[in-house]
Amino acid sequence: MRTRMILALVASVAVAACHRGRHQAADVQPDAQVDAGATEASTQAPVPATDAGQVQAFLTGLYAHYLSSKNDTFDMFGANKTEVFDADTLALLADDKKALKDELGDVDGDLLCDCQDFVSLKSQIVVQSATPTDAEASADVQDIGMPGLTPRHILFKLTKSGGAWRIHDIKAGAQDWLRTTLAEEIKNLKGAAPLIRGPDNGP
C-alpha cells in the first residue's frame, strides 16, 4: 500500500514538472520571435522618397536661391537654365533666342519669383500630383524683404528625365504659360506656325 502511494506521488511530481516546462517554453518563444522581427526590420533599407517628395525637394532647392539677394547670381534663363528646365523647354528657349536676334522678348522677368528683383523670398510649395515621370505643383511666394507686396502664385508642370526633375512649363501670376508665350513669339517673329518641340506637339 505504501509503495503504491509513493509511486503515485512520483508520477504527479513528474507531470507537474512537464507542465511547467511547457509553460516556460511558451513564455520564451514569443519574445524570441519579437526580437528576430526587430532585428530584421532594423536591417531593412530606408524607404525611398516618393515622387511627390522628390518634386518638393527640387522646387525647394530652386527657391533656396531666393532666400537672400545678397551675392545672388542665380539666373533661371541664363547660366543655371539646365538646372531648371527639361530638354524640350531648353530647345524652345533656344529657338526663341534665335528668332529674337538678341532683341528683348515677351519674357523679361524671373518667373520663379514673378519679379524683376527681390530682397528675401519666402515660398510655400504644394505638389498637386506626381508620377514617376510627370508632376504638377504650385508655389505661393512672398518677398518678406519688401513689405506690402502682394504674394505671387506660380504654377509648374514638371518632367523627370535621367533621374532628375526639371520644369517643363511655368506660369507666373496672370501671365500665360511660358511655352505658349514662347511659341506665339516665335510664330509672330517668323510668320509661321508655332514651333513647339515635344512628343505631345503642344505647349
Side-chain angles (χ1 to χ4, degrees), residues 78-151:
N80 304 101
K81 61 186 177 183
T82 58
E83 305 169 33
V84 178
F85 298 106
D86 67 1
D88 285 346
T89 302
L90 287 173
L92 190 58
L93 286 167
D95 290 337
D96 184 63
K97 182 178 180 180
K98 182 178 179 180
L100 284 170
K101 299 178 180 178
D102 296 325
E103 296 293 330
L104 183 64
D106 292 336
V107 181
D108 61 352
D110 189 321
L111 298 184
L112 283 169
C113 64
D114 193 15
C115 64
Q116 294 284 350
D117 50 41
F118 69 96
V119 176
S120 179
L121 211 66
K122 179 181 179 181
S123 61
Q124 183 175 1
I125 300 164
V126 177
V127 179
Q128 277 83 25
S129 64
T131 72
T133 57
D134 303 280
E136 293 186 1
S138 64
D140 290 300
V141 298
Q142 174 74 54
D143 196 333
I144 59 177
M146 295 184 180
L149 288 183
T150 303

Side-chain angles (χ1 to χ4, degrees), residues 8 13 31 37 39-41 49 51 71 78 80 99 137 139 157 182 184 197:
V13 170
D31 292 340
T39 302
E40 182 181 355
D51 298 311
N71 302 318
N80 304 101
K157 295 178 182 179
L182 296 176
E184 288 297 321
R197 300 173 184 265

Side-chain angles (χ1 to χ4, degrees), residues 86 88-89 92 157 168-169 177-180 183 194-203:
D86 67 1
D88 285 346
T89 302
L92 190 58
K157 295 178 182 179
H168 178 70
D169 211 352
W177 288 93
L178 172 62
R179 291 177 62 86
T180 299
L195 175 61
I196 293 193
R197 300 173 184 265
D200 57 357
N201 199 31

Side-chain angles (χ1 to χ4, degrees), residues 49-66 74 76 80-87 89-90 112 123 125-127 130 133-139 155-161 163-170:
T50 63
D51 298 311
Q54 292 173 3
V55 172
Q56 182 93 22
F58 167 65
L59 292 176
T60 299
L62 290 184
Y63 278 108
H65 295 285
Y66 296 81
F74 186 81
M76 71 177 297
N80 304 101
K81 61 186 177 183
T82 58
E83 305 169 33
V84 178
F85 298 106
D86 67 1
T89 302
L90 287 173
L112 283 169
S123 61
I125 300 164
V126 177
V127 179
T133 57
D134 303 280
E136 293 186 1
S138 64
L155 299 176
F156 301 93
K157 295 178 182 179
L158 306 103
T159 60
K160 188 177 185 181
S161 179
W165 284 99
R166 294 292 184 266
I167 294 173
H168 178 70
D169 211 352
I170 179 172

